Amino acid sequence: MGEPDPDRRPPISASSPDGAIWADTTDGTDLRISFSYAAYGRYTDDTLAYQLSRLGQATWVAFQRSQNELHERRSASFRVVVDTPARPEQTPGQAAYTRALNEVVASGSSPDGSITVRTTGALSWTVLLADGTVTRLGESVFAAQLTAAVKAMLADRERKIAALKAEFLDLGVPKRWTALLHQLREQNRAER
């Protein structure tokens, strides 16, 4: 058996606090949601929303660990570490970017509007279900709607992170545009 492929992402799996719902993915775009036998029908809208909110957090943590592992495997073949260097201090600009990144609020809804997924900084997850969603949707339809809502939220998050990068990093975006983005972000914060 040879060395593991440094470019192959390990599978990511997480479960809800009650252990009855699983999320599996390799890169975040191929998300699969599954329920243990007959578990879906035992949930109310509120209890399912709670379990899914915690599952989102657990899956995100597992995804980040996978990202770190992949990065370490890729960089291990290119470097020799003699002594672990101290982590450099963040510049004020880096610290501001990190704060802004941790405040990114993203949301996505299912095509039928029955499921909304929101995150703040990708660490705090909230899943909202319209009244009657569990009784109205079968398990497989619910899983498909949830997957679509998560993908919509991730796309929203990526758009907002791209705007942050344009504001904080020198990507060649005109300063007038980044100033306008900053002004819009401040207006959005004031409206919350």
Side-chain angles (χ1 to χ4, degrees), residues 49-127:
Y50 171 80
Q51 293 295 322
L52 292 172
S53 296
R54 302 297 75 79
L55 175 61
Q57 287 176 310
T59 305
W60 186 258
V61 169
F63 180 75
Q64 290 304 307
R65 286 182 181 153
S66 173
Q67 289 280 90
N68 293 342
E69 179 183 321
L70 183 62
H71 176 73
E72 286 299 316
R73 278 199 324 245
R74 285 178 177 166
S75 62
S77 61
F78 296 106
R79 66 184 164 117
V80 175
V81 177
V82 177
D83 189 18
T84 305
R87 188 175 193 133
E89 292 286 323
Q90 279 192 328
T91 66
Q94 290 169 327
Y97 176 74
T98 300
R99 278 191 308 277
L101 193 59
N102 289 334
E103 293 173 357
V104 169
V105 176
S107 66
S109 294
S110 59
D112 71 355
S114 64
I115 304 168
T116 300
V117 179
R118 289 190 185 119
T119 67
T120 302
L123 296 175
S124 173
W125 287 64
T126 303
V127 175

Side-chain angles (χ1 to χ4, degrees), residues 9 29 33-34 36 63 72 106 109-110 119 121 133 141 145 158 163 171 178:
R9 184 182 308 278
T29 62
I33 304 293
S34 57
S36 64
F63 180 75
E72 286 299 316
S109 294
S110 59
T119 67
T133 297
V141 173
Q145 293 289 320
E158 288 303 313
L171 301 177
T178 56

